[in-house]
Amino acid sequence: MQVGILGGTGPLGSALGARLAASRLSVGLGSREVAKAKEIARNLTQRWPEIDGFLTGVDNDQAARAQVVFVAVPWDAIIRLVEPLEHILQGKVVVSMANALVKIGSEFAALTVPRGSAAQLLQAELPSAMVVAALHHVPARALANLSRPVEVDTLVAADSSGARSQVAGILSRIPGLRVLEAGSLAQAPAIEAMTAVLLNINLRYRATASLRLTGVEVA
């Protein structure tokens, strides 16, 4: 399977790209600047030789042509990124990882954005795509260290049950990452807002808290 990551040269996008490549998926790390994408991919491959041949730096246009596409930019840059790619993304599974947050003083707070959440905003922009919300509570630093399992839960939400299950299957390939299907995109506002709570806890206690749910058994 081919996976594309739009805006994939940032901390989260590059970390996810390396993890998925380590699971033997073909990953296109996308950027507006293909030279930058190639450099990031080359640096990751040098650090983690096991992903050689599975991770490639490409432009966003090429990344959008993959079977499943992850969007790895902040929520307020999503529309600007996907607008010129809408014709390519029609009918595809597109994964939103963004959290609609703002920092007020020393505290993070969730924003009420048009449509309710970053994922729902993306779905409105790409009405023919199947948008899935995922990876909101997974620290980029934990994803980036391929020598250790992630040990985090991620909640996956989508209006399409097929798209939700497909993304859950992809993410389940990452060691230590437990994937829990949370329902439709109506759950995305609460999922994204929880990220603000986790960030505030991390700031207060100088911690790296993430999400781990108890009482759930996954086969």
Side-chain angles (χ1 to χ4, degrees):
M1 174 181 289
Q2 294 181 329
V3 173
I5 304 179
L6 303 179
T9 55
L12 180 57
S14 59
L16 176 63
R19 281 285 183 175
L20 295 181
S23 75
R24 299 300 186 261
L25 291 175
S26 178
V27 180
L29 207 62
S31 174
R32 289 177 300 176
E33 303 174 29
V34 67
K36 181 179 180 181
K38 289 181 180 296
E39 181 183 4
I40 297 288
R42 183 169 55 251
N43 292 340
L44 288 168
T45 300
Q46 289 174 348
R47 183 179 181 189
W48 310 107
E50 64 268 32
I51 69 175
D52 190 19
F54 294 94
L55 184 69
T56 307
V58 298
D59 60 23
N60 282 327
D61 185 278
Q62 187 172 343
R65 297 180 187 279
Q67 292 165 285
V68 176
V69 180
F70 288 78
V71 180
V73 297
W75 77 271
D76 54 355
I78 287 176
I79 302 303
R80 187 167 61 252
L81 173 66
V82 302
E83 268 184 341
L85 303 171
E86 183 176 352
H87 64 292
I88 303 174
L89 295 171
Q90 289 182 4
K92 290 184 180 289
V93 175
V94 181
V95 184
S96 171
M97 304 185 287
N99 298 293
L101 307 177
V102 64
K103 193 172 185 182
I104 303 173
S106 61
E107 186 172 271
F108 285 93
L111 287 173
T112 301
V113 299
R115 307 291 181 175
S117 67
Q120 291 164 304
L121 187 65
L122 180 59
Q123 182 66 85
E125 181 64 24
L126 303 173
S128 67
M130 294 167 283
V131 171
V132 180
L135 294 172
H136 299 89
H137 311 127
V138 182
R141 184 177 299 179
L143 271 178
N145 186 359
L146 270 57
S147 64
R148 300 184 62 181
V150 178
E151 303 297 352
V152 175
D153 287 351
T154 185
L155 303 178
V156 178
D159 291 338
S160 166
S161 60
R164 188 169 61 238
S165 296
Q166 184 176 17
V167 172
I170 291 171
L171 296 180
S172 294
R173 300 167 70 107
I174 298 175
L177 183 64
R178 188 173 66 157
V179 183
L180 302 175
E181 296 192 36
S184 72
L185 280 184
Q187 307 306 319
I191 292 171
E192 292 180 22
M194 185 61 190
T195 308
V197 178
L198 291 172
L199 288 172
N200 290 329
I201 289 172
N202 288 336
L203 286 173
R204 181 177 181 85
Y205 295 100
R206 298 181 182 179
T208 55
S210 52
L211 191 68
R212 202 64 159 170
L213 300 180
T214 62
V216 183
E217 297 294 334
V218 180

